Amino acid sequence: MTIQTASPIVQVLPETAPFSEEQRSWLNGFFAGLLSLDNAGVTALSPAQNAAVMGQAEDDGAPWHDPSMELPERMQLAQGKPLPRRLFAAMAQQDCGQCGYLCETYSAAIASGAEARLNLCAPGGKDTLRQVKALMEEGGAVAPAASATDVPAPATLGPLGRCRENPALATFLSRRKLNGEGSQKETWHVEFDLSGCGLDYVVGDAFGVVAQNDPRLADAVIALLGARPDAIVNGKTLRGALISDVALGPAPDALFQLISYVTGGETRTKAKRLAAGEDPDGDLDRLDVLGTLHKFAHARLSPEAFVEALDPLQPRLYSISSSHNATPGRVSLTVDAVRYRIGTRPRWGVASTFLAERVEPGETVPVYVQRAHGFGLPANPDTPIIMCGPGTGIAPFRAFLHDRRATKAPGRNWLFFGHQRRASDFFYEDELSAMKQEGLLTNLTLAWSRDGDEKIYVQDRMRERGAELFAWLEQGAHFYVCGDAKRMAKDVERAMVDVVAAHGQRSAEEAVAYVAALRKAERYQADVY
């Protein structure tokens, strides 16, 4: 970081945090005091520096900051720590930015009372929300979770199209399916026109989409609720609110609490147990909002109370798969449509199926650009890069490659890509083959897990090419991984440690330290979800 004598206070909050200038000034002062950095004259921190400094301030290293670690283990590691650190451990640890903060700054904002919304950690879901509520109760200050009707005051809104609270309108252009015949997946290349809203971005950024629920699901909920679709709730029709404003996925605890208030006997007892996180009938995994109304069919809920008991519909973030330098005024995403069944009922992802089938070309969609937190191309265009992105994890690396081509960056590029079957799941095959042919891609290493008797994954290919991989690292290469946080990213990290140990003649402990040093130098970067 750069030391300046003129700056009296640390500017800790991210630019996208939804606060007015007065609130921002107070909060930066609060965090400066928390970090013992006021009057140090430190310039505004990058998101990566922000996370690092806050971890160092408590001098605990945040050992729980690992998205593959389960919540109980994280909470055990944070036991005895101050409330902000325990709240930090309760978060999903992905630093995805979907809440508008980093995991650490969101936790600190809750602890300070600056952020009353406890339910913004989408990856953590109900488990994180329950843990946060419990911690706040232990601390003696309970901030109620935001209802679907809570809207930030205008003074707290960030720049248009730069935060979740103040999205801009972009025009949906097109979708095309990336899978071939016989694929077990449904993946789409999606494009938006940004020229009308004036948004831009850099590769590594994410794109927030404010999607809508499937009208068929909203209609089914209304039917079980026994209400009129045109009933007015907070100035909007019930049907409109269920489509645009509230989440219809896993039933929130507040809905079970509401049901317990209007029922009695065994029904009330079950509802109260569900609200407490228990599973009395072994069906909690099936209790989305519609399933809950079916289970408690005799509960009579008013439309107003019902909507207020639901969580707000959260925007979804997707890694950007295009380069503004290559295609100015446009942005593309690589989206897996989420469809599955629980029991006899089909379920589907809100935003993924919205993009895959419901939004039509020419329609406008509320969107925003979420700046990357320590994930992006090296500042030096000569630096070689190694990218590991199976499945939709290829998205930011397609963007990296298009950007390096557009800017004529001379650095070498190596992509590890994998999926189930080459014939049906080789996303962007023509593009990548052309990049390999023209020399933009120095190496293109592929892994297919269903094409033979043995399942081959990207981490297996890394070990096979370990000598060359380690040589690139020794020559200053930056390494990137994008994809599943719980399994794939951790497997890739283990493979990297194995490669360093085998080809760098290091012990296991020394190899772990080598990879940790890469992370500290921002030469090992992850975009996980």
Side-chain angles (χ1 to χ4, degrees), residues 459 462-467 469-470 473 494-505 511:
Q459 59 266 28
M462 288 173 59
R463 291 185 176 95
E464 291 175 3
R465 303 287 296 271
L469 180 63
F470 183 72
L473 293 175
R494 290 191 189 101
M496 177 67 85
V497 171
D498 290 345
V499 164
V500 172
H503 300 281
Q505 286 77 51

XYZ file of all heavy atoms in Angstrom, residues 459 462-467 469-470 473 494-505 511:
175
model
N -7.344 -31.463 -12.379
C -6.240 -31.636 -11.434
C -5.346 -32.817 -11.806
O -4.133 -32.806 -11.517
C -6.774 -31.787 -10.005
C -7.718 -32.936 -9.774
C -9.171 -32.517 -9.911
O -9.496 -31.581 -10.634
N -10.054 -33.200 -9.187
N -3.055 -31.472 -14.425
C -2.021 -30.641 -13.807
C -0.859 -31.491 -13.321
O 0.313 -31.140 -13.526
C -2.614 -29.848 -12.637
C -3.528 -28.712 -13.025
S -4.342 -27.967 -11.578
C -2.924 -27.436 -10.605
N -1.161 -32.601 -12.690
C -0.092 -33.481 -12.203
C 0.695 -34.080 -13.370
O 1.923 -34.206 -13.308
C -0.683 -34.571 -11.322
C -1.227 -34.074 -9.980
C -1.691 -35.224 -9.101
N -2.117 -34.767 -7.771
C -3.385 -34.499 -7.460
N -4.348 -34.658 -8.365
N -3.684 -34.089 -6.233
N -0.018 -34.464 -14.443
C 0.659 -35.017 -15.618
C 1.619 -34.016 -16.242
O 2.685 -34.395 -16.728
C -0.378 -35.448 -16.657
C -1.218 -36.658 -16.272
C -2.305 -36.953 -17.290
O -2.362 -36.252 -18.329
O -3.112 -37.870 -17.044
N 1.240 -32.745 -16.240
C 2.076 -31.697 -16.845
C 2.853 -30.939 -15.773
O 3.214 -29.776 -15.963
C 1.182 -30.721 -17.634
C 0.335 -31.363 -18.730
C 1.155 -31.784 -19.930
N 1.759 -30.656 -20.599
C 1.169 -29.964 -21.589
N -0.041 -30.320 -22.011
N 1.789 -28.949 -22.169
N 3.102 -31.602 -14.652
C 3.657 -30.927 -13.490
C 4.999 -30.263 -13.711
O 5.230 -29.151 -13.225
N 5.887 -30.895 -14.447
C 7.219 -30.315 -14.646
C 7.120 -28.987 -15.387
O 7.744 -27.988 -14.996
C 8.104 -31.295 -15.417
N 4.403 -27.118 -15.657
C 3.627 -26.205 -14.828
C 4.508 -25.519 -13.796
O 4.470 -24.289 -13.621
C 2.496 -26.987 -14.134
C 1.568 -26.219 -13.207
C 0.799 -25.154 -13.966
C 0.588 -27.174 -12.535
N 5.361 -26.299 -13.139
C 6.247 -25.711 -12.133
C 7.259 -24.771 -12.783
O 7.584 -23.716 -12.219
C 6.974 -26.813 -11.354
C 7.852 -26.280 -10.268
C 7.302 -25.741 -9.121
C 9.237 -26.293 -10.397
C 8.116 -25.238 -8.106
C 10.057 -25.793 -9.397
C 9.491 -25.259 -8.248
N 5.644 -21.467 -13.218
C 5.551 -20.748 -11.950
C 6.897 -20.125 -11.587
O 6.959 -18.971 -11.122
C 5.101 -21.697 -10.839
C 3.672 -22.233 -10.939
C 3.419 -23.256 -9.836
C 2.645 -21.108 -10.859
N -4.726 -28.859 -3.991
C -3.933 -30.025 -3.576
C -2.999 -30.470 -4.702
O -1.840 -30.841 -4.455
C -4.875 -31.166 -3.195
C -5.649 -30.948 -1.911
C -6.352 -32.228 -1.461
N -7.253 -31.972 -0.351
C -8.577 -31.853 -0.464
N -9.147 -31.970 -1.655
N -9.333 -31.628 0.590
N -3.529 -30.433 -5.942
C -2.695 -30.809 -7.082
C -1.524 -29.853 -7.233
O -0.398 -30.277 -7.551
C -3.538 -30.830 -8.363
N -1.758 -28.576 -7.003
C -0.678 -27.598 -7.097
C 0.397 -27.883 -6.052
O 1.606 -27.833 -6.352
C -1.245 -26.184 -6.908
C -0.184 -25.098 -6.917
S 0.596 -24.922 -8.540
C -0.582 -23.826 -9.317
N -0.018 -28.206 -4.836
C 0.953 -28.560 -3.789
C 1.750 -29.791 -4.203
O 2.983 -29.842 -4.039
C 0.231 -28.786 -2.442
C 1.194 -29.374 -1.412
C -0.356 -27.474 -1.928
N 1.057 -30.781 -4.771
C 1.752 -31.995 -5.222
C 2.768 -31.675 -6.316
O 3.885 -32.221 -6.324
C 0.740 -33.013 -5.744
C -0.119 -33.613 -4.647
O 0.239 -33.460 -3.469
O -1.161 -34.218 -4.972
N 2.387 -30.809 -7.244
C 3.282 -30.431 -8.342
C 4.530 -29.741 -7.800
O 5.660 -30.042 -8.205
C 2.544 -29.521 -9.346
C 3.526 -28.808 -10.273
C 1.536 -30.323 -10.158
N 4.329 -28.814 -6.877
C 5.472 -28.088 -6.303
C 6.381 -29.039 -5.539
O 7.620 -28.958 -5.635
C 4.971 -26.950 -5.394
C 6.134 -26.310 -4.639
C 4.233 -25.896 -6.219
N 5.787 -29.967 -4.776
C 6.603 -30.915 -4.010
C 7.399 -31.830 -4.930
O 8.603 -32.053 -4.719
C 5.698 -31.747 -3.086
N 6.728 -32.340 -5.986
C 7.377 -33.318 -6.862
C 8.434 -32.691 -7.753
O 9.513 -33.269 -7.975
C 6.320 -34.029 -7.707
N 8.146 -31.522 -8.288
C 9.039 -30.943 -9.301
C 9.890 -29.786 -8.770
O 10.771 -29.299 -9.478
C 8.223 -30.506 -10.511
C 7.469 -31.639 -11.148
N 8.070 -32.544 -11.980
C 6.177 -32.022 -11.025
C 7.172 -33.443 -12.366
N 6.013 -33.149 -11.799
N 9.603 -29.387 -7.535
C 10.437 -28.364 -6.909
C 11.320 -28.933 -5.829
O 11.990 -28.163 -5.120
N 11.323 -30.289 -5.712
C 12.117 -30.972 -4.692
C 11.904 -30.337 -3.315
O 12.860 -29.976 -2.610
C 13.613 -30.960 -5.049
C 13.981 -31.921 -6.157
C 13.594 -31.401 -7.542
O 13.926 -30.283 -7.893
N 12.880 -32.212 -8.301
N 6.079 -27.207 0.229
C 5.199 -27.017 -0.934
C 3.974 -26.210 -0.549
O 3.528 -25.328 -1.301
C 4.796 -28.367 -1.514
